[in-house]
């Protein structure tokens, strides 16, 4: 049964939230707010299982079983291995799911994986290259796109710290 | 002999842009090659663009573009916006979503960047997409692929490959009196180079450097740079769990390794710019909407 991850989150999120999916790396305080000087709600021991609710910058909001819900530093947390299954359904099927049929999600006919064999056997496809180039966006359009979401650049941040 | 030729080139470059020829050799052109070597590694930008076209066509031969055009435009907008703040804002930046369940992203010389639909389906926000694209943009601006090809092959490999590619493009033009045998040979040498890049990957140092630049580029553009850490934690939890990420893991340092560097870079960024944290955006809603739009 292949169910798309996003759909899975959408449909089963209350269950997913109650489930622990991560552990605390080392003893760390659980804070009331995602800021360093917030009130400490509890002290979590290393290996403590938690359920991740959301991320805000360098902080995760977690639910601790039998304890409070609070915030801890992003790097204090490790997701449980083997629990997170990468999706094996191409995105094309996602729209099918959103239209309401679960059955459409499972088929992925004609779409292959992109592994070493596929790359080694590849012949250049110049028609696809022309199609790809038609998707290019002008720089001005991209600026409008960024403004629409209120993205604000910070020119004081240099991408290269030292110039070669 | 070699020494004599070198002296000739040096002598000619002293004469700046003079047009001097002896026999069939254009020494003015030779001195130009000399200057582009120092500026751009070993090939110039038009050659890099021509090489990029062929590598991109090759990757598209392995995996087709995703049919959702609105999604392709969305990814191009995010990518083009980011690239405007990179060190090479004027490249013809082109972003493509490959229609495959595997999780991966690729950078190609000249400004092509690809992400797979399998990776998109596993990201949660526009910031997560932005950091992935920023990592690939950094490979292009730093010319990591070109350096890798040069390292992995004989001396002057790149310049001869670039010459080959330009001649290959000429032959593809309609009515070029195509010599099929020669054309196939040329195509093979380009394909081999592309295969090397996509299946062997880059050096550990170049991958970590691209993460470092991605954190800074995303933050400069107004995206939450912690998204790169979140993506890496996700990849870390998938490790060894699926064939869908086997090529990505085979061509990159271990996610845990990358996380250590990303943590250091984020700490450094916070120290340098402590007061701008709150305005960096994640945009999960716009991202989810873009995935759903037809």
């Amino acid at each position: 049964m292949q169910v798309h991850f996003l759909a899975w989150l959408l449909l089963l999120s209350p269950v997913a939230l109650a489930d622990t999916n991560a552990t605390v790396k080392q003893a760390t305080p659980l804070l009331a707010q995602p800021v360093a000087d917030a009130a400490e709600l509890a002290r979590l021991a290393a290996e403590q299982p938690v359920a991740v609710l959301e991320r805000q910058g360098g902080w995760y909001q977690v639910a601790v079983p039998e304890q409070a819900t609070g915030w801890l530093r992003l790097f204090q947390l490790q997701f449980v291995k083997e629990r997170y299954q990468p999706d094996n359904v191409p995105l094309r099927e996602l729209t099918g799911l959103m239209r309401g049929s679960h059955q459409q999600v499972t088929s992925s006919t004609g779409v292959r994986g992109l592994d070493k064999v596929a790359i080694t056997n590849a012949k250049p496809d110049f028609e696809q290259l022309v199609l790809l180039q038609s998707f290019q966006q002008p720089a001005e359009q991209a600026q409008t796109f960024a403004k629409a979401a209120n993205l604000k650049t910070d020119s004081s941040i240099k991408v290269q710290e030292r110039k070669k | 002999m070699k020494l004599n030729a070198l002296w000739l080139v040096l002598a000619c470059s002293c004469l700046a842009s003079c047009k001097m020829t002896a026999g069939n050799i254009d020494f003015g052109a030779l001195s130009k090659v000399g200057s582009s070597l120092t500026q751009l590694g070993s090939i110039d930008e038009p050659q890099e663009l021509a090489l990029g076209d062929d590598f991109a066509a090759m990757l598209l031969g392995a995996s087709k573009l995703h049919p959702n055009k609105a999604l392709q435009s969305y990814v191009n907008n995010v990518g083009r916006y980011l690239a405007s703040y990179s060190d090479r804002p004027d490249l013809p930046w082109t972003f493509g979503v490959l229609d495959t369940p595997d999780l991966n992203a690729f950078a190609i010389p000249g400004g092509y960047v690809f992400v797979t639909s399998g990776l998109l389906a596993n990201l949660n926000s526009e910031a997560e997409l932005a950091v992935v694209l920023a990592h690939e943009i950094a490979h292009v601006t730093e010319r990591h692929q070109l350096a890798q090809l040069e390292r992995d092959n004989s001396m002057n490999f790149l310049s001869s490959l670039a010459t080959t590619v330009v001649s290959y493009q000429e032959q593809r033009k309609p009515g070029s009196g195509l010599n099929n045998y020669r054309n196939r040979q040329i195509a093979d040498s380009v394909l081999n180079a592309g295969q090397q890049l996509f299946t062997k990957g880059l050096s550990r140092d170049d991958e970590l450097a691209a993460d470092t630049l991605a954190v800074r580029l995303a933050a400069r553009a107004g995206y939450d740079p912690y998204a790169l850490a979140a993506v890496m934690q996700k990849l870390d939890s998938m490790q060894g769990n699926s064939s869908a990420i086997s090529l990505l893991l085979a061509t990159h340092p271990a996610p845990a390794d990358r996380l250590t560097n990303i943590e250091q870079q984020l700490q450094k960024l916070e120290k340098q710019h402590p007061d701008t944290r709150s305005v960096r955006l994640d945009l999960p809603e716009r991202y989810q909407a873009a995935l759903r739009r037809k």
Side-chain angles (χ1 to χ4, degrees):
Chain A
M1 197 187 87
Q2 289 181 320
V3 176
H4 195 282
F5 173 71
L6 292 175
W8 182 81
L9 260 189
L10 213 71
L11 299 170
L12 305 176
S13 50
V15 181
L17 297 191
D19 238 1
T20 59
N21 55 2
T23 55
V24 174
K25 277 186 178 172
Q26 46 188 262
T28 187
L30 182 73
L31 302 178
Q33 308 289 332
V35 283
D37 53 4
E40 187 174 320
L41 300 175
R43 187 150 276 271
L44 304 181
E47 311 290 326
Q48 167 70 52
V50 297
V52 177
L53 305 178
E54 73 164 299
R55 181 179 68 80
Q56 221 179 81
W59 299 84
Y60 280 118
Q61 189 186 35
V62 298
V64 187
E66 324 274 304
Q67 288 186 57
T69 289
W71 296 84
L72 50 83
R73 289 265 188 205
L74 178 142
F75 287 102
Q76 291 296 341
L77 190 133
Q78 182 150 29
F79 285 93
V80 176
K81 291 198 197 240
E82 311 287 324
R83 287 297 300 273
Y84 192 97
Q85 287 289 338
D87 168 62
N88 263 325
V89 180
L91 215 49
R92 184 160 48 194
E93 266 70 46
L94 186 62
T95 50
L97 177 77
M98 292 307 165
R99 282 198 304 272
S101 164
H102 289 194
Q103 297 310 312
Q104 290 173 34
V105 207
T106 52
S107 73
S108 59
T109 41
V111 179
R112 26 174 199 175
L114 183 52
D115 55 10
K116 280 187 187 183
V117 178
I119 288 172
T120 310
N121 294 331
K123 296 279 168 278
D125 188 334
F126 290 99
E127 279 175 27
Q128 284 276 299
L129 183 67
V130 172
L131 178 63
L132 171 70
Q133 286 164 342
S134 76
F135 299 143
Q136 269 181 6
Q137 295 293 322
E140 311 76 61
Q141 163 58 34
Q143 289 297 330
T144 310
F145 168 88
K147 276 207 187 86
N150 236 348
L151 280 163
K152 288 194 178 64
T153 53
D154 182 349
S155 53
S156 73
I157 299 174
K158 301 279 170 273
V159 177
Q160 284 281 10
E161 285 186 281
R162 33 139 196 100
K163 211 59 210 158
K164 283 177 295 185
Chain B
M1 271 305 272
K2 268 185 186 167
L3 205 62
N4 283 342
L6 184 65
W7 275 114
L8 269 174
V9 172
L10 283 176
C12 194
S13 57
C14 293
L15 293 169
S17 58
C18 67
K19 177 95 176 170
M20 274 173 61
T21 53
N24 289 327
I25 302 165
D26 179 343
F27 289 109
L30 268 182
S31 75
K32 249 193 207 159
V33 171
S35 66
S36 68
L37 277 176
T38 48
Q39 280 169 12
L40 288 164
S42 62
I43 62 170
D44 62 18
E45 196 166 294
Q47 287 176 317
E48 182 186 347
L49 296 182
L51 202 54
D53 284 350
D54 282 9
F55 286 158
M58 190 209 135
L59 193 58
L60 289 166
S63 181
K64 299 263 176 271
L65 289 164
H66 195 275
N68 186 335
K69 289 191 177 158
L71 182 64
Q72 298 282 3
S73 296
Y74 172 77
V75 171
N76 269 275
N77 270 318
V78 176
R80 189 66 191 82
Y81 168 65
L82 282 165
S84 303
Y85 300 97
S86 76
D87 279 0
R88 302 179 75 186
D90 299 324
L91 283 177
W93 291 99
T94 312
F95 301 81
V97 180
L98 299 175
D99 191 9
T100 169
D102 285 357
L103 282 72
N104 219 330
F106 301 88
I108 290 180
Y112 288 106
V113 171
F114 291 97
V115 285
T116 65
S117 54
L119 180 57
L120 290 189
N122 283 286
L123 300 179
N124 291 326
S125 68
E126 190 171 305
E128 291 191 5
L129 169 64
V131 290
V132 169
L133 297 179
H135 172 99
E136 302 304 331
I137 287 169
H139 283 318
V140 176
T141 58
E142 297 299 293
R143 299 179 179 83
H144 285 158
Q145 280 81 6
L146 298 176
Q148 189 69 35
L149 282 174
E150 196 88 306
R151 272 199 296 272
D152 286 351
N153 295 282
S154 55
M155 256 189 36
N156 300 326
F157 172 81
L158 255 193
S159 51
S160 82
L161 187 70
T163 313
T164 302
V165 161
V166 171
S167 124
Y168 182 36
Q169 283 200 332
E170 285 302 314
Q171 292 196 37
R172 279 204 311 273
K173 284 180 184 157
S176 67
L178 209 133
N179 174 337
N180 271 328
Y181 176 70
R182 179 142 185 272
N183 202 22
R184 201 164 56 236
Q185 276 190 317
I186 289 172
D188 282 348
S189 71
V190 178
L191 285 183
N192 285 338
Q195 282 163 13
Q196 272 180 34
L197 272 185
F198 300 134
T199 60
K200 281 180 65 183
L202 300 167
S203 73
R204 177 179 181 276
D205 283 355
D206 284 354
E207 289 300 343
L208 297 187
D211 283 341
T212 299
L213 294 177
V215 162
R216 303 186 71 86
L217 180 57
R220 183 179 163 96
Y223 286 111
D224 172 16
Y226 280 91
L228 186 58
V231 171
M232 214 51 64
Q233 286 183 326
K234 216 177 282 182
L235 290 178
D236 189 36
S237 73
M238 289 178 205
Q239 200 168 1
N241 197 22
S242 162
S243 64
I245 49 167
S246 58
L247 181 61
L248 187 152
L249 293 176
T251 53
H252 288 79
D257 215 11
R258 295 173 69 182
L259 267 170
T260 308
N261 173 55
I262 292 165
E263 181 173 10
Q264 286 166 0
Q265 298 307 325
L266 284 164
Q267 278 170 357
K268 193 195 270 179
L269 186 72
E270 293 289 0
K271 231 178 241 167
Q272 290 170 338
H273 305 273
D275 45 343
T276 51
R277 247 173 285 185
S278 54
V279 296
R280 294 181 193 151
L281 304 180
D282 261 292
L283 304 177
E285 295 86 5
R286 183 155 85 160
Y287 182 75
Q288 308 292 347
L291 289 198
R292 269 177 241 142
R293 208 179 317 134
K294 279 212 81 182

